[in-house]
Amino acid sequence: MEVLNEDDEVITKLETACSDLKSILNQSLTIDSTYNKIHQNLQTIQESLTISSKTVAPLQSLSIANKALDTRINRAVSPALALLSSFSAAESLQRLLLDTASELPREMNPRKRLAKLIEYVGCVDRLDAAIGAIGEESEPAIQKLQEVVEFLSRTKAANLYTTARLRETLETLKALCEAEVEAMRFDGVLDEALLNLQDEYEALLLGIRHRDGGGGEGLGTEMEIKVLEKISHTLAANDCLDICIDMFVKVRYRRAAKALMRLNPDYLKRYTPEEIDEMQWEDLETSISLWMQHLELAVKAVLVSEKSLCRGVLGGLMGGSIWPECFIKIADKIMAVFFRFGEGVARSDKAPQKLFKLLDMFDSLEALKPDFEEVFEGEAGADICVRFRELEKLLVHGSTRVFWELGLQIEGSQDGLPPPVDGSVPKLVRYAVNYLKNLAVDSYSSPMEKVLRTQQMWKGGTLSELENDGDLLRDAISNVMEAIQRNIESKKTRYKDKVVAQIFLMNTYWYIYMRTRNTELGKLLGEAYMKKRYRNAAEESAYLYQKLAWGRLVRLLERESDSGGGEAKKLEAFMSGFDEMCERHISSYNIVYDADLRDQIKEAALRLVLPGYTEFYNANTPALAAVVEDCRPPQSIESSLRQIFEGGGGVQIERRRSMSQFDGVE
């Protein structure tokens, strides 16, 4: 029974499951039917959507195109508005510029006029910037409009007629912008303003003048320089830099030259060696002195001021590379005139007196050199500095040549004159001694030492044997002194009268010694040198003079008599020789230079003649008085000797004249 019950339970469960399956199947059929209906509905909707999509698609494309066109139009509006704003600003600035230009001539106050001119320059700069902005902004504005037109052409958002009209309008606008910018920049208010600025620039430059004497102070007020600087920048920014530079150089050269012309440098017109050789010495001497003064003034005052002005006005252009060249263009012509004259003097005839002026010129250049190198510094001034050094070289060569040629002239006795017939000091010796005395003073010895040293170095010589420049100058002057001595000894041999030859030597050597004693020349050569060569030579000649002139007469009285009447013959021979010698001293011989020399010679003659004659006279008088007509007492002999040395006849007391370094004669 239990087994039966278990089977019943299984069958029951199976029946229940079968019933459930039937129910699920029925539901599935119902769902399937529903899905079929939905599918049919979806197909109907899909067909409707497809039809609707075909209807809406053109409208959707049009909407997208409108949005793209709107974007392009918005992008074009902004630059177009900026362009219109720039046009408006330019128009406003043009009116302001015209108003300011009309006010300038009416402003009489210089400072206010400069302030108004600064305002005018600022307005020009702003107008130039506005025109530049128009040029820069017109291209992007037109480009954006071009994009709109091209978009319309490509998308057909507008009809062909409208698109064509827009394209024509765009081309007209493009041409109009180009023409307007061109006209505003080159044929309008701006162009007129730039021409006005050029006139104002030139007027301002002309108005800045050097004061009498060449200047030295700064040129132009701070306001004037500021205005000129602003105008320079404005002109340079508008392609007028060449005009600006050319105007500046021409005007400032004229002003600088005019400042120097007020000094009346007419001598600068004669600059060739031939022209300079034709000048009278006094005129040339004056011209050289003026040249040194004017050159210093030109460099240290006029050109320094011009350089400062040039830097102040043009210093900001092209990174500061323009103004040095402009300054050199101004200075070059002025310096060339000074160089030409200096070179002409250095190359002219080498007359001895020119040495001192050549040394003055050389010394002035040496003193000027630091200022010169500072004014003409840098690459721009290199050529002027080279010419400065070349002039110094010419002066060195010219100075040394004059000096050595003087020695050669003395050595060769090229004065063309015979020795003085009266035994006086020859002009050549006077000239040479005074010449060397002048050369030995500090104002000439220093430049001469430098010239000699420079010449020696150029020749590649060594100065190892010379301790300093003083040794070099001393040796050079010693050579000339030795040439003078050889000239004197040569002239001595041309005298037939041995007495006058000794007078000549005595006069000349004593003159040299006394004229150099206690002078810079004497100190340079040394007292021992001067005594040995000249004082001793003068004393030796004085001794020989006494021996030849008066000692011979005394010996006539001392000779042994070898025949009757011998004492009378001695006296007659003595008197004849004495009178002849006195007459020669009075008429032909000339013991000159100073009282000390004459006194010494007089006393020596008295000591030599009087004792012997007095002894002879006392021993033979009155016996000789009866037989010799001319039997003078010793007092008469003494009186005659004193007369020939103290005055009368040809005995001359030298006139002292003011020494001139150029005639060399005292």
Side-chain angles (χ1 to χ4, degrees), residues 540-553:
E540 182 181 353
S541 298
Y543 170 77
L544 292 175
Y545 157 76
Q546 295 288 354
K547 182 178 179 180
L548 293 171
W550 308 112
R552 179 176 58 85
L553 298 178

Side-chain angles (χ1 to χ4, degrees), residues 524-591:
L524 180 66
L525 296 174
E527 180 66 16
Y529 176 93
M530 297 306 298
K531 283 184 177 180
K532 179 180 179 181
R533 284 188 171 272
Y534 303 106
R535 179 176 173 176
N536 292 349
E539 291 175 347
E540 182 181 353
S541 298
Y543 170 77
L544 292 175
Y545 157 76
Q546 295 288 354
K547 182 178 179 180
L548 293 171
W550 308 112
R552 179 176 58 85
L553 298 178
V554 175
R555 287 194 300 274
L556 290 175
L557 299 175
E558 296 173 349
R559 288 187 306 178
E560 292 292 335
S561 177
D562 56 358
S563 61
E567 299 303 320
K569 289 182 179 180
K570 289 179 183 179
L571 182 58
E572 288 176 351
F574 175 85
M575 286 303 173
S576 175
F578 181 79
D579 288 343
E580 181 183 356
M581 190 55 62
C582 286
E583 178 61 28
R584 288 185 182 181
H585 276 77
I586 292 172
S587 62
S588 302
Y589 297 164
N590 195 356
I591 299 175

